[in-house]
Amino acid sequence: MDVFYPHHFACSTGLILIMTISERLTRKNWLEIGLHLLATEGESALTIERLCQITNRTKGSFYHHFKNRDEFTTVLLEYWQSEHTDLIISTVEQIDNRKERRQQLDRLAASLDSQVERAIRNWSGSDLRVQQAMKSVDQKRIEYLAKLIDEFGQSDPEIALELAIIEYSTFVGLQHLFPDADATWIERIFHRVTQITDSFNSQE
């Protein structure tokens, strides 16, 4: 299935709780906090005031890393794509065995905290910049799935793309229909979809 690194905000939340006011937050810390706020409170919480409130930092600490909220939003979307798509693809690509690549992709997708994905997809309905980022990520994920399906013997690129769309639609649908589902169960569903795809390829 598709593509994401599990969102490790449990660690980031702990970091926020144990860091003292004298310790400086890194740029990545701020971005992780932004994803957490987005997932738990929605895009309206992505204000400088709320970010500083939850971190117990001054606005000067925020401005040390970002010029304004607009830049923070742009970088946040880039970070989301980098961590939840680009890094996953590059990690999976390091695996030589094609079957293991598919299994690892299923595992990473199932382990993802879907709150972030749902929040960004919901946000994309009201913000053109977010919509463009979401569209770009969707396209990249689908194209990568089509590549993997092609490696499993689907020689027709159009069919490979259609099968990839079916798999990816399953991924997105599960995020919305079963937001609290166990990762093991989700991975099993992904595996079933992969089996259907492989079965279709073998009948060609």
Side-chain angles (χ1 to χ4, degrees):
M1 203 43 216
D2 208 72
V3 307
F4 312 93
Y5 234 14
H7 183 52
H8 297 298
F9 201 83
C11 295
S12 299
T13 303
L15 183 71
I16 295 166
L17 292 173
I18 65 174
M19 288 183 71
T20 67
I21 190 66
S22 62
E23 292 178 274
R24 176 176 292 177
L25 292 179
T26 66
R27 187 178 177 91
K28 183 175 180 178
N29 291 152
W30 282 104
L31 295 171
E32 284 286 335
I33 293 160
L35 287 181
H36 173 69
L37 276 178
L38 178 62
T40 57
E41 301 181 21
E43 69 272 15
S44 61
L46 294 179
T47 64
I48 298 173
E49 290 77 10
R50 181 63 179 132
L51 287 162
C52 292
Q53 179 187 41
I54 197 173
T55 57
N56 196 27
R57 296 297 190 276
T58 65
K59 290 184 179 179
S61 178
F62 174 88
Y63 288 125
H64 178 77
H65 296 287
F66 308 99
K67 289 189 297 186
N68 47 43
R69 182 186 182 275
D70 188 62
E71 182 187 62
F72 177 78
T73 300
T74 298
V75 177
L76 183 68
L77 292 170
E78 292 172 351
Y79 178 74
W80 164 68
Q81 174 170 334
S82 174
E83 293 292 304
H84 291 243
T85 300
D86 298 338
L87 182 58
I88 298 303
I89 292 175
S90 64
T91 300
V92 172
E93 280 295 290
Q94 294 176 25
I95 302 172
D96 292 329
N97 184 282
R98 62 185 185 183
K99 183 177 180 180
E100 291 178 2
R101 281 203 296 271
R102 293 279 278 175
Q103 291 173 340
Q104 178 70 344
L105 206 52
D106 287 352
R107 192 171 300 116
L108 292 174
S111 300
L112 175 71
D113 181 353
S114 62
Q115 279 187 295
V116 173
E117 295 291 311
R118 291 198 308 275
I120 290 180
R121 196 168 295 279
N122 290 338
W123 189 12
S124 72
S126 60
D127 188 302
L128 181 59
R129 176 172 45 176
V130 182
Q131 182 183 101
Q132 291 171 339
M134 185 86 257
K135 183 177 180 180
S136 175
V137 165
D138 284 341
Q139 181 176 349
K140 190 165 193 174
R141 294 168 175 175
I142 290 170
E143 288 177 352
Y144 184 64
L145 268 175
K147 173 182 175 294
L148 294 184
I149 291 170
D150 176 74
E151 291 176 356
F152 267 80
Q154 180 48 252
S155 58
D156 188 324
E158 184 175 358
I159 294 177
L161 179 61
E162 291 168 350
L163 292 172
I165 290 171
I166 292 170
E167 287 199 37
Y168 188 64
S169 298
T170 300
F171 170 78
V172 175
L174 286 172
Q175 288 182 331
H176 289 266
L177 290 173
F178 304 99
D180 301 317
D182 178 79
T184 302
W185 180 82
I186 293 177
E187 185 177 352
R188 189 163 68 247
I189 297 298
F190 291 167
H191 180 62
R192 298 302 180 208
V193 176
T194 300
Q195 286 180 319
I196 293 171
T197 300
D198 293 344
S199 174
F200 181 89
N201 288 339
S202 67
Q203 294 174 13
E204 284 288 287

